[in-house]
Amino acid sequence: MCLPLAALAGGDEQTTADFDWEPVMEAVIQVESGGNPNARSGNSCGAMQITPICVAQCNIILKARKSKKRYSLKDRFDVAKSKEMFRLIQSFYNVENNIEKAIRSWNGGMRYSIKGTQRYYEKVMSYLNKKH
């Protein structure tokens, strides 16, 4: 995937600092783990069911941004750090802050299919719509 150079700019978090990912993250947490920070399913762990590949990708982004911060696999069990990783991934791969893209890519990866992520997307949106 080719990314604009602007995606590498900025700090450890999102490039659009005023965008609030909190409602999306809370909905993802409900769908992924029912809010359980100790949930495990295969290689996925924590409230947001983060994979080792996602942790590695976060560390690659941090390194590219010249940050000294790095995440460990055990950080997946820390809800605050999991949310940091979610925002970091969004700031790099989803600079336009597209909620649908964020939800679908969290479930199906950056090359997700609409059909393959439809049920997941609908579940997350259902939680989001309950909040508003």
Side-chain angles (χ1 to χ4, degrees), residues 9-131:
D12 295 349
E13 300 265 334
Q14 64 221 47
T15 54
T16 309
D18 59 347
F19 191 81
D20 182 14
W21 282 111
E22 196 63 33
V24 175
M25 292 186 294
E26 286 300 323
V28 165
I29 285 170
Q30 289 308 309
V31 172
E32 290 286 359
S33 68
N36 179 0
N38 297 311
R40 290 176 180 264
S41 178
N43 283 336
S44 303
C45 297
M48 297 188 84
Q49 291 295 284
I50 297 174
T51 63
I53 292 168
C54 183
V55 174
Q57 187 62 47
C58 285
N59 289 334
I60 289 167
I61 295 167
L62 290 169
K63 184 178 181 183
R65 291 182 177 176
K66 308 281 192 252
S67 172
K68 297 204 182 310
K69 182 175 191 158
R70 295 294 182 273
Y71 291 104
S72 69
L73 292 178
K74 77 174 187 190
D75 288 337
R76 298 178 295 169
F77 296 101
D78 180 313
V79 175
K81 288 181 181 177
S82 293
K83 288 179 177 182
E84 286 174 16
M85 286 187 261
F86 179 92
R87 284 190 295 269
L88 180 62
I89 291 290
Q90 298 312 314
S91 74
F92 191 79
Y93 290 110
N94 187 9
V95 293
E96 63 278 6
N97 296 320
N98 180 307
I99 291 172
E100 181 174 354
K101 180 178 179 179
I103 294 167
R104 290 186 187 277
S105 64
W106 195 253
N107 178 243
M110 294 318 301
R111 295 187 179 138
Y112 65 85
S113 75
I114 298 292
K115 186 177 178 183
T117 57
Q118 190 60 32
R119 265 188 71 219
Y120 181 83
Y121 176 71
E122 289 171 1
K123 285 181 186 178
V124 174
M125 288 308 295
S126 173
Y127 276 101
L128 264 177
N129 292 331
K130 286 178 189 174
K131 296 268 184 185

